[in-house]
Amino acid sequence: MADSTPEDRDEATAPDDTATTDAKSPVDKPASAANTDAAAQQAAADPTDARSAASTTPGDVDVDATAVNPGADTDTEDADSDTESHHSPALIATAVALPVVLIVAVLVAAFIALRAPVEREPLALGPVPAPAADGPACQALLPALPADLGDHTKATLVEPAPPATRAWQLPDGGDPITLRCGLDRPLEFNRASPLTVIDGVKWFQVRDEVGKTGTWFAVDRETYIALTVPDGSGTSALQTVSETINANLPAREPTPGEL
């Protein structure tokens, strides 16, 4: 048996680097990989501890907030959705009802404005000769005159108003019905003038074609009374005034002028 040389002995005792490296490679793993596998195995074994295991895992493993509490964002979105679904019908109902309420309010206001009486301006009447305006006949007649003549209501006169004078107008104004008491005999009234008897009163009419009015003179009382009526006003005013004259002033024979 040959003696081994020192070189041979060194080769026999030297460690085999290749064998050592090959033996370690299949079993040795980085620490982070080993820990990750351990966490995965623990999560599989106990799902409730998965989040705690992942949070304690060392290394560069990022843990998302949603992974730790996956229901957080979902709960917030559900709450917002519930709030929107709760208020949406009310908002829609308000948006639909508000224009309707405004339209109804406008219509009601317009209806009230149309029905409200128009404030009339005081009526100005010019003076005419009336020598018996302060006589007993006019003093008895004027207080007995009605406030309304058909659709016409008593009008306010601009002061100073002519004595023994009354006027009536429609609610929206327009040409008035006027009465004057204590006048002189009309120039047109003569023996040939036709007379009209209404409720016991004899009337003589004078037409104004320009002004579209008719002035009726009561010619059978102590004094002359003139009632001016616009065309289209009807006959109720003449009838009402005739009744008032006949009830308050005694009749007498007319005294017409000469032809």
Side-chain angles (χ1 to χ4, degrees):
M1 184 172 184
D3 296 333
S4 60
T5 64
E7 292 79 2
D8 294 336
R9 286 194 300 270
D10 293 335
E11 292 176 357
T13 60
D16 191 348
D17 295 335
T18 302
T20 302
T21 301
D22 293 341
K24 289 168 59 181
S25 58
V27 294
D28 293 341
K29 296 182 181 179
S32 60
N35 291 334
T36 303
D37 292 343
Q41 292 175 0
Q42 183 177 0
D46 189 358
T48 60
D49 295 336
R51 287 178 294 183
S52 61
S55 63
T56 56
T57 301
D60 298 330
V61 179
D62 293 334
V63 180
D64 192 0
T66 58
V68 175
N69 189 6
D73 291 344
T74 303
D75 294 342
T76 302
E77 292 176 358
D78 291 343
D80 293 341
S81 177
D82 292 342
T83 302
E84 292 177 358
S85 63
H86 176 71
H87 292 291
S88 294
L91 293 175
I92 293 174
T94 302
V96 172
L98 184 59
V100 175
V101 172
L102 292 176
I103 292 173
V104 172
V106 170
L107 293 176
V108 170
F111 178 77
I112 293 174
L114 290 175
R115 294 295 301 273
V118 177
E119 185 176 355
R120 299 178 305 206
E121 295 291 333
L123 187 63
L125 296 179
V128 297
D134 295 329
C138 294
Q139 292 179 0
L141 176 64
L142 265 67
L145 291 171
D148 298 336
L149 293 180
D151 295 333
H152 292 67
T153 59
K154 185 178 180 180
T156 301
L157 300 180
V158 175
E159 297 294 341
T165 303
R166 292 288 185 272
W168 298 263
Q169 279 183 298
L170 292 172
D172 57 352
D175 294 332
I177 297 174
T178 61
L179 181 142
R180 298 175 186 266
C181 183
L183 305 181
D184 288 327
R185 183 176 62 194
L187 297 176
E188 298 87 352
F189 180 51
N190 55 52
R191 293 178 182 178
S193 299
L195 299 180
T196 302
V197 179
I198 301 174
D199 289 330
V201 179
K202 295 178 180 179
W203 295 92
F204 164 68
Q205 184 187 26
V206 176
R207 286 287 306 165
D208 181 359
E209 298 299 339
V210 177
K212 300 298 181 183
T213 61
T215 299
W216 296 79
F217 290 89
V219 297
D220 62 343
R221 307 295 150 160
E222 179 182 341
T223 187
Y224 290 94
I225 302 161
L227 184 68
T228 301
V229 182
D231 291 352
S233 300
T235 61
S236 62
L238 191 58
Q239 292 172 344
T240 302
V241 171
S242 297
E243 293 172 358
T244 305
I245 291 174
N246 199 39
N248 292 274
L249 301 178
R252 73 176 187 179
E253 286 296 320
T255 56
E258 298 294 332
L259 290 175

